[in-house]
């Protein structure tokens, strides 16, 4: 969806929430699309969630809990998709599962992240279409499958975090990204110009920004990491910082 069209849609949803006094939700968006919500309303009126802390694709919720007077969960379901007979199944990939879902006639924005583990998939979807998927999805690639709605994603299916220590001249975001993803400082700076860097779901255009401990940094096309702060100063007066990269 073009940026201006997304912004107009967000304005409509934010206004509907304010007028009706209820929470209003989008479908799933990429980090870039979701971050546009901060342009049209105050931060306290926006919350984002994809079903798990590790999810990239998120639903945007409009509504201030203090004004509305209560909290509620996001309309997200998790579907487990698994072969009927594991020993006869094809080797199934993220692309295979996504393709099978799209072949049901679904739009991409009703599907969130897909975690694949041991030839099974755990798919985050908009709650309203979960029943349709469990009823209609019977095959992935050439493999007959079953679907069930589940409450939890097993730990082994979730993205893993790998801790690393990187040394930078200053704890600026461009330097951290350059070291984390093995690129030059100028290459890292170009990512800000092309709007590909996000902190805690919000677009960051400032390469000189110094992240706070616990910030989640997403770089489109490269990955996501958690910044754990400066561990020490080196003998050459550089900064050893700790990051945890999703793998």
């Amino acid at each position: 969806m073009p940026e201006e069209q997304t912004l107009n849609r967000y304005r409509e949803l934010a206004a509907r929430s304010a007028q009706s006094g209820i929470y209003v939700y989008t479908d799933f968006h990429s980090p870039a699309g979701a971050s546009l919500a901060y342009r049209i309303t105050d931060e306290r009126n926006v919350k984002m969630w994809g079903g798990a802390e590790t999810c990239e694709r998120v639903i945007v919720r409009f509504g201030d809990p203090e004004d509305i007077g209560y909290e509620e969960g996001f309309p997200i379901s998790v579907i487990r998709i698994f072969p009927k007979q594991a020993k006869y199944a094809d080797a199934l990939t993220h692309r295979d599962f996504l393709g099978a879902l799209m072949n049901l006639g679904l739009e991409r924005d009703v599907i969130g992240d897909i975690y694949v583990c041991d030839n099974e998939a755990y798919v985050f979807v908009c709650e309203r279409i979960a029943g349709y998927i469990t009823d209609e999805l019977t095959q992935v690639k050439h493999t007959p499958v079953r679907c069930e709605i589940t409450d939890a994603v097993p730990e082994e299916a979730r993205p893993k975090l790998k801790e690393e220590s990187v040394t930078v001249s200053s704890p600026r975001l461009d330097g951290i990204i350059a070291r984390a993803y093995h690129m030059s400082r100028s290459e890292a700076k170009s990512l800000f110009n092309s709007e590909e860097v996000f902190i805690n779901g919000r677009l960051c255009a400032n390469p000189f920004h110094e992240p706070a401990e616990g910030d989640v940094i997403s770089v489109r096309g490269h990955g996501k990491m958690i910044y754990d702060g400066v561990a020490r100063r080196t003998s050459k007066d550089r900064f050893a910082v700790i990051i945890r990269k999703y793998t």
Side-chain angles (χ1 to χ4, degrees):
M1 185 183 295
E3 182 176 299
E4 192 56 40
Q5 188 175 345
T6 300
L7 287 168
N8 288 336
R9 177 60 175 161
Y10 285 173
R11 291 186 186 101
E12 292 174 7
L13 296 178
R16 188 192 307 169
S17 174
Q19 291 165 5
S20 62
I22 62 173
Y23 294 114
V24 179
Y25 299 86
T26 68
D27 289 338
F28 286 96
H29 286 275
S30 67
S35 70
L36 295 174
Y38 292 115
R39 292 194 194 175
I40 57 93
T41 188
D42 190 271
E43 185 172 346
R44 65 190 176 88
N45 293 320
V46 176
K47 186 174 181 179
M48 302 176 187
W49 182 244
E53 290 183 3
T54 50
C55 287
E56 285 281 330
R57 294 175 60 78
V58 295
I59 284 176
V60 181
R61 185 184 78 181
F62 294 98
D64 181 356
E66 290 190 7
D67 293 339
I68 294 175
Y70 63 90
E71 260 292 356
E72 70 177 19
F74 279 62
I76 297 173
S77 294
V78 182
I79 298 177
R80 176 189 173 217
I81 306 172
F82 56 99
K84 286 185 176 180
Q85 294 182 296
K87 66 179 180 179
Y88 299 120
D90 297 313
L92 302 176
T93 66
H94 181 285
R95 182 175 181 177
D96 295 326
F97 286 107
L98 178 59
L101 290 164
M102 299 295 285
N103 285 339
L104 294 178
L106 299 174
E107 297 292 335
R108 182 65 179 95
D109 57 6
V110 300
I111 304 168
D113 282 28
I114 301 174
Y115 296 161
V116 179
C117 178
D118 295 333
N119 230 28
E120 298 184 359
Y122 293 84
V123 187
F124 297 85
V125 301
C126 290
E127 189 176 61
R128 68 180 186 275
I129 53 93
Y132 174 74
I133 293 173
T134 57
D135 289 343
E136 298 297 326
L137 184 61
T138 59
Q139 184 170 308
V140 176
K141 208 170 179 180
H142 304 293
T143 300
V145 297
R146 291 191 177 95
C147 301
E148 63 182 21
I149 296 174
T150 182
D151 292 329
V153 177
E155 191 62 35
E156 59 268 23
R158 298 172 182 264
K160 306 299 185 292
L161 285 167
K162 179 183 179 183
E163 184 175 297
E164 296 181 12
S165 174
V166 298
T167 303
V168 292
S169 57
S170 67
R172 291 178 4 185
L173 197 50
D174 59 345
I176 294 168
I177 289 172
R179 292 288 292 159
Y181 296 114
H182 311 291
M183 63 180 72
S184 68
R185 181 71 70 90
S186 62
E187 288 173 324
K189 283 184 176 178
S190 71
L191 296 170
F192 293 86
N193 295 331
S194 54
E195 299 187 341
E196 296 180 273
V197 180
F198 302 85
I199 297 181
N200 302 325
R202 301 190 67 163
L203 179 67
C204 179
N206 180 12
F208 305 110
H209 176 77
E210 294 189 7
E213 187 173 332
D215 277 351
V216 178
I217 302 166
S218 300
V219 184
R220 192 188 303 167
H222 294 276
K224 184 164 72 170
M225 60 181 158
I226 299 173
Y227 177 72
D228 284 335
V230 176
R232 60 185 175 85
R233 298 286 287 270
T234 71
S235 58
K236 295 183 178 180
D237 205 31
R238 291 167 64 84
F239 295 82
V241 303
I242 303 298
I243 58 173
R244 285 177 289 153
K245 292 168 64 177
Y246 287 92
T247 61

